[in-house]
Amino acid sequence: MRTLSSVLDKEVQQVSRPAGNTRLKAARLAAGYASQQALADALGVGVRQVRRWESDTPPWPHPEIAQALTRALGQDLESLGFISPAGVQPDHGRRAVLSATAAAVGLAAVPTQAIAMQPATASRDFQAITRSHRHLYWSVAPATLHPAVLAHAALGCALLPETAGQTRKLIAAALAETYLLAGRIEFFDLRDADRAQQTFLRALQAAGEADDPLLGAAILAHSAFIPGWTGDREAAVERMVAARTYARRRPASAELLAWLDAVEAECETRCGHTRTALHLIGHAESVLERGSEHESPEWLDWFSPVRLAAFKGNTQLKAGHLPQARTTLLGVLDRLGPSEDKQTTVVLGDLAAVEAAAGDPDAACRYALRALDQLERTWYAMGMDRVREVRRVLAPHQHEQCVRELDDRLYGWTTTVSALSR
């Protein structure tokens, strides 16, 4: 039977037992290394070494390992609980380097003394908001969503210098995706190509911080749309070469590789090279048919076989293959899901263009009016551009009743004010 004295003696021993290097353990967990083995693998050392560092008397690391350790955990050795032996000058510059690195890539400039390392959960929380914005893009008005996305990016810029290791990489990747979404809204929805160009640059810089070449490939391909839309084929091709180079640095899914073909095809179509574009689309179809063992990234939600068919229908239209374009686009319209309102307006606009080119203004106006109905529910600048292009083609028929009815809708108070305000 234990006496009260023996119980108290044991409790005192437990309280007085050294807790080890709690600073290093906390920094390890904050950087996303859930176990000692995970940190050991990242540094290329044995797990016994990490255990010694987390003991109550951690030995001072060798210079090469010390640099790797401070780089992985984002703090200098003294902040990590190490006591500098005589004759060794501690390195106080790691936090300053973190802040300077972020500032150098245009992300954030945080005063060194303000940096406090974030827990590993910060990356999950930040990613959750990024994921929500990605889903909201398909239903929320772009002018409403865009400020929220930019505010989230600003938060990511502030968090980045406060993290290290895996946590830093995860936040940087989510930040890159956030900037990519902002750039897409600016280019496709707000029609501000100059601003989108700068935003895509920030996205690419964040992807570099995350060392995520597939996300880098997606950003570069999006940036190719900008010169492609203005007919600058050389610049568009150069960016697509860079995008494909990045995509080769990691195992890429069939969907991502096919999308790269589709983007290049769109640029070639805009530059008047429809034969090259159709060849690229044919290659994309083959890539999708063969498939791949690699899964698509979660953020690749803007592409599917149906979207590829929409690219194809537009290229067939621009190539003058009207019967083929009509068949392709009608098939796309039947297969588009209820949540793909933005793409629906583009397809309806292309179908209107097919009928206008075929000399059927009544059918062209019917499709254009359906596109305007859809635009009233979900605004999309690309869809409105398609309708306006059709109206220009219908200029020889502007005195016909169907075209006048289209004008009444196209230049109504609501539509005109909405168009001018975006």
Side-chain angles (χ1 to χ4, degrees), residues 11 230 312 405:
E11 289 182 353
T230 61
K312 182 177 183 177
E405 291 176 0

Side-chain angles (χ1 to χ4, degrees), residues 364-376:
C365 289
R366 284 197 297 271
Y367 281 122
L369 288 170
R370 287 178 60 184
L372 290 176
D373 289 339
Q374 188 65 58
L375 285 167
E376 286 186 358

Side-chain angles (χ1 to χ4, degrees), residues 34-234:
S35 67
Q36 293 175 335
Q37 185 65 61
L39 179 59
D41 292 342
L43 298 176
V45 300
V47 69
R48 292 181 61 186
Q49 183 65 68
V50 178
R51 291 196 191 105
R52 292 176 65 201
W53 290 338
E54 292 192 4
S55 70
D56 57 315
T57 56
W60 189 264
H62 292 294
E64 299 81 5
I65 299 298
Q67 290 181 1
L69 183 62
T70 56
R71 184 166 55 248
L73 301 186
Q75 297 186 36
D76 59 64
L77 291 179
E78 287 191 332
S79 298
L80 294 173
F82 293 93
I83 299 176
S84 174
V88 176
Q89 293 297 322
D91 179 10
H92 295 287
R94 176 57 185 159
R95 291 189 179 183
V97 169
L98 278 174
S99 187
T101 299
V105 297
L107 295 175
V110 179
T112 303
Q113 65 272 19
I115 294 179
M117 300 305 290
Q118 292 288 331
T121 54
S123 61
R124 294 196 294 271
D125 296 336
F126 187 78
Q127 286 175 312
I129 300 173
T130 300
R131 189 177 302 110
S132 297
H133 285 162
R134 185 199 314 140
H135 297 161
L136 288 170
Y137 173 73
W138 304 108
S139 58
V140 175
T144 301
L145 181 60
H146 187 247
V149 173
L150 289 182
H152 185 53
L155 173 62
C157 291
L159 289 177
L160 197 61
E162 302 179 4
T163 57
Q166 295 299 317
T167 303
R168 180 181 178 85
K169 280 192 172 185
L170 292 172
I171 288 181
L175 177 59
E177 185 188 334
T178 296
Y179 271 129
L180 174 58
L181 177 58
R184 290 173 60 204
I185 293 174
E186 288 160 2
F187 182 73
F188 294 113
D189 298 271
L190 305 181
R191 309 305 287 132
D192 191 343
D194 291 339
R195 188 176 185 183
Q197 171 64 32
Q198 295 303 313
T199 303
F200 288 145
L201 175 59
R202 294 188 182 95
L204 188 61
Q205 291 167 333
E209 285 285 309
D211 190 24
D212 190 333
L214 295 185
L215 190 51
I219 295 164
L220 284 164
H222 272 91
S223 74
F225 281 125
I226 297 175
W229 246 247
T230 61
D232 187 351
R233 183 171 183 259
E234 183 178 355

Side-chain angles (χ1 to χ4, degrees), residues 136-145 184-191 340-346 371-388 409-410 412-422:
L136 288 170
Y137 173 73
W138 304 108
S139 58
V140 175
T144 301
L145 181 60
R184 290 173 60 204
I185 293 174
E186 288 160 2
F187 182 73
F188 294 113
D189 298 271
L190 305 181
R191 309 305 287 132
E340 298 182 280
D341 293 344
K342 292 184 176 182
Q343 188 64 35
T344 298
T345 62
V346 172
L372 290 176
D373 289 339
Q374 188 65 58
L375 285 167
E376 286 186 358
R377 292 189 291 270
T378 305
W379 174 259
Y380 192 39
M382 301 297 294
M384 179 57 79
D385 287 348
R386 294 292 212 270
V387 175
R388 290 195 179 111
R409 286 288 305 282
L410 187 58
W413 285 111
T414 302
T415 308
T416 304
V417 171
S418 296
L420 291 176
S421 65
R422 293 176 169 87

